[in-house]
Amino acid sequence: MAEKLGRNDPCWCGSGKKYKKCHEAFDEKIEVFRQQKKLVPPRSIIKTPEQIEGIKESAKINIAVLDYVAENIKVGMSTEEVNTLVHEKTVELGGIPAPLDFEGYPKSVCTSINDEVCHGIPSEDIILQDGDIVNVDVSTEYNGYFSDSSRMFLIGNVSEEKKKLVQVTKECVELGLKQVKPWGFLGDVGAAVNEHAKKNGYTVVREIGGHGIGLEFHEEPWVGFTTRPGTRMLMVPGMCFTIEPMVNMGKADIYVDDDNGWTVYTEDGQPSAQWEIQVVVTEDGAEVISW
């Protein structure tokens, strides 16, 4: 339970305002949901306006790095070359590649090709081939603030089946985004994603999802994409998290590479696609800050 403040005490958010003039009504509204046994966000993950501005500055670098990848990625390039592009551009812009050494991850970016669901490790031995689809997942730390987004790239002449998977996955993200509203629930986001994927004959990975982000690389809440409406955590203004469903052409089952302990594959070898955006919940909806 959060600390009980007097109405004239300084607000817990650090604004310098009295509690009654700042977050008292906000906290009272959250308490109504808590009394209804709903999962509500802790104060620690509700970002202040100043923190959101810092996260947005980090996101500017993240977007620029992905734009740079888009300009340069091509058939015949190794995924290690993509890693070099990401690392050098991030550092050039004053950032730090957040994945590097995070829980032992060895590279500055994740490059996941075809049946790799996520966490593909760049290598000089992995060459982008004509017809591949690849997810490039970039994450940045800048002045202690974190941003994260990923895009799918079509390499050369890609089959219509793979193109559709990539497009539908992007549509899933867009439909999930429409469900990000203050005083709604994260389950609404996942339900919209899952419904659209299933409607197109695809499945959504259950075990891996989005996450809170901003002051740390990974924070609460965990964001699942096979959820039911009205479930999971209450969304309130100031929350910051990613929407990043992993959509499989075949079955939803996955496994982790035994050798490197990171790369996740589809169990049936069918392709998987993922787009990732980072959003902040606002007073009247959501703002996309990294894509």
Side-chain angles (χ1 to χ4, degrees):
M1 194 74 172
E3 175 191 357
K4 182 69 174 175
L5 295 176
R7 299 187 71 230
N8 291 313
D9 289 339
C11 187
W12 55 262
C13 74
S15 65
K17 298 177 184 178
K18 291 183 178 180
Y19 181 49
K20 65 184 178 183
K21 295 285 190 181
C22 198
H23 272 90
E24 184 181 36
F26 176 91
D27 284 350
E28 287 174 350
K29 194 166 184 178
I30 287 181
E31 185 59 26
V32 172
F33 286 95
R34 191 196 310 275
Q35 294 297 325
Q36 295 171 358
K37 308 299 183 185
K38 300 293 188 181
L39 179 63
V40 301
R43 289 174 178 173
S44 61
I45 67 170
I46 299 169
K47 309 299 188 287
T48 67
E50 293 77 15
Q51 289 170 337
I52 290 170
E53 287 307 308
I55 297 166
K56 287 181 178 179
E57 290 302 308
S58 175
K60 288 178 183 177
I61 296 175
N62 215 68
I63 294 165
V65 171
L66 274 165
D67 287 346
Y68 186 59
V69 171
E71 293 166 6
N72 290 278
I73 197 166
K74 61 186 179 182
V75 173
M77 175 179 280
S78 73
T79 53
E80 180 59 37
E81 289 178 87
V82 176
N83 183 72
T84 299
L85 289 175
V86 169
H87 186 95
E88 292 183 351
K89 179 58 72 172
T90 303
V91 172
E92 175 190 323
L93 296 173
I96 299 169
L100 186 60
D101 297 325
F102 176 73
E103 296 184 353
Y105 187 77
K107 297 291 181 176
S108 296
V109 68
C110 297
T111 51
S112 306
I113 304 171
N114 298 331
D115 66 331
E116 294 177 341
V117 174
C118 61
H119 303 157
I121 300 176
S123 168
E124 292 179 357
D125 299 326
I126 301 173
I127 308 299
L128 295 175
Q129 306 288 338
D130 185 64
D132 283 345
I133 57 172
V134 57
N135 178 268
V136 178
D137 190 346
V138 172
S139 312
T140 303
E141 179 186 355
Y142 179 69
N143 288 341
Y145 294 104
F146 291 82
S147 53
D148 189 8
S149 53
S150 78
R151 300 179 195 171
M152 292 298 299
F153 295 100
L154 307 178
I155 307 301
N157 300 296
V158 174
S159 70
E160 291 303 317
E161 291 81 7
K162 284 184 179 178
K163 284 181 182 177
K164 181 185 176 185
L165 174 66
V166 170
Q167 178 59 33
V168 169
T169 304
K170 191 171 188 181
E171 292 167 2
C172 285
V173 172
E174 292 163 353
L175 290 168
L177 175 63
K178 287 182 179 179
Q179 296 300 317
V180 180
K181 304 166 187 173
W183 315 109
F185 293 90
L186 279 172
D188 303 344
V189 178
V193 167
N194 198 34
E195 180 183 353
H196 190 64
K198 287 170 66 177
K199 186 173 73 175
N200 283 275
Y202 303 138
T203 60
V204 179
V205 171
R206 302 175 293 263
E207 299 90 338
I208 311 170
H211 54 90
I213 182 171
L215 307 184
E216 302 289 343
F217 188 3
H218 283 223
E219 304 172 353
E220 287 188 74
W222 185 78
V223 186
F225 299 109
T226 57
T227 48
R228 291 179 289 109
T231 64
R232 303 286 178 161
M233 187 176 283
L234 178 73
M235 294 182 285
V236 302
M239 283 176 64
C240 183
F241 55 85
T242 65
I243 302 175
E244 50 175 315
M246 297 157 212
V247 180
N248 296 350
M249 188 179 290
K251 295 180 179 179
D253 304 301
I254 58 173
Y255 70 95
V256 180
D257 189 307
D258 285 335
D259 293 330
N260 65 41
W262 280 100
T263 308
V264 179
Y265 295 87
T266 59
E267 185 74 50
D268 59 11
Q270 292 292 304
S272 183
Q274 176 195 22
W275 295 84
E276 177 183 15
I277 60 174
Q278 182 176 356
V279 302
V280 174
V281 183
T282 64
E283 294 291 341
D284 57 2
E287 181 182 0
V288 179
I289 62 170
S290 191
W291 58 86

